Amino acid sequence: MESRVQIEIFEAFRKGMRSYFMLPELPKSMRAKHSSVSARVASALRPFFPDSVNVDIDLLGADILIWDDKGPLLALFWSSSYLAKGRKEKAIAFHEKYSTPLTLAFSLFPDKERFLVYRIEKGYIEYLHIDKNTFSEEVLRRCTIAEGKNDDGQLLLPLRQKHRKATS
């Protein structure tokens, strides 16, 4: 039962983010204030959750919180660039404190074709790349939350190397 709920919540997140990335004002909006972008993302997510569920920003320390009368269902923490270690730790701490079925931390990367998602659920963190156009997923890594807490490294998007012309 719990696994099905997590799948449904993640699928609603994916649909909402697809809607968000299709917004015509997107390039400017990603450079706006954090709370403004959170509000736009929350608005894009809202139609994909039941009416009985609330979608709020800046609640209980989460950037976006989706909750019902039983408590948090989905907590979102985001950054426009790579997520700082402290933000990832904050997402993990929230997940553990509130026993949220699913907690996601993600990096939007305005100038890239993919965004990076840290999917935190039931003892594990899964690192995913999601293509902004096709929404295909690539699992980069899966580890326990304990391993993720101790991970000093940052998972980076592979960057294309720019080739310089040789000058004589």
Side-chain angles (χ1 to χ4, degrees), residues 45-72:
L45 293 171
R46 176 69 243 156
F48 300 99
F49 287 91
D51 291 338
S52 61
V53 170
N54 301 295
V55 179
D56 288 309
I57 65 168
D58 302 325
L59 190 64
L60 299 178
D63 293 325
I64 302 167
L65 186 64
I66 298 166
W67 58 281
D68 63 11
D69 58 346
K70 295 176 188 139

Side-chain angles (χ1 to χ4, degrees), residues 5-24:
V5 169
Q6 290 167 330
I7 291 169
E8 289 173 2
I9 291 170
F10 189 68
E11 190 56 31
F13 166 78
R14 285 173 42 91
K15 288 176 181 176
M17 291 306 293
R18 180 178 284 229
S19 175
Y20 173 75
F21 284 119
M22 290 174 41
L23 291 172

Side-chain angles (χ1 to χ4, degrees), residues 4-160:
R4 184 182 59 81
V5 169
Q6 290 167 330
I7 291 169
E8 289 173 2
I9 291 170
F10 189 68
E11 190 56 31
F13 166 78
R14 285 173 42 91
K15 288 176 181 176
M17 291 306 293
R18 180 178 284 229
S19 175
Y20 173 75
F21 284 119
M22 290 174 41
L23 291 172
E25 69 274 9
L26 187 62
K28 291 180 185 173
S29 73
M30 279 208 237
R31 292 173 186 10
K33 288 185 177 181
H34 197 86
S35 59
S36 296
V37 176
S38 291
R40 284 187 182 99
V41 171
S43 292
L45 293 171
R46 176 69 243 156
F48 300 99
F49 287 91
D51 291 338
S52 61
V53 170
N54 301 295
V55 179
D56 288 309
I57 65 168
D58 302 325
L59 190 64
L60 299 178
D63 293 325
I64 302 167
L65 186 64
I66 298 166
W67 58 281
D68 63 11
D69 58 346
K70 295 176 188 139
L73 299 170
L74 173 63
L76 299 170
F77 298 82
W78 71 271
S79 175
S80 58
S81 64
Y82 286 106
L83 222 60
K85 185 177 181 183
R87 300 279 298 153
K88 184 173 105 177
E89 289 170 349
K90 186 176 179 181
I92 292 169
F94 186 98
H95 182 76
E96 291 175 335
K97 179 177 181 179
Y98 293 102
S99 300
T100 309
L102 187 59
T103 301
L104 301 173
F106 56 96
S107 301
L108 291 172
F109 301 125
D111 302 325
K112 301 211 182 325
E113 295 295 317
R114 294 182 268 180
F115 68 109
L116 177 62
V117 176
Y118 299 80
R119 181 180 166 141
I120 306 164
E121 62 178 299
K122 203 171 187 178
Y124 289 93
I125 301 176
E126 199 169 56
Y127 300 79
L128 307 165
H129 275 164
I130 300 178
D131 186 283
K132 291 178 184 177
N133 298 309
T134 64
F135 265 71
S136 60
E137 296 175 18
E138 177 186 357
V139 176
L140 302 172
R141 179 177 178 213
R142 183 176 167 100
C143 64
T144 66
I145 287 178
E147 290 170 325
K149 282 181 182 178
N150 297 325
D151 185 10
D152 288 334
Q154 177 66 260
L155 281 180
L156 304 175
L157 281 173
L159 301 176
R160 292 184 184 146

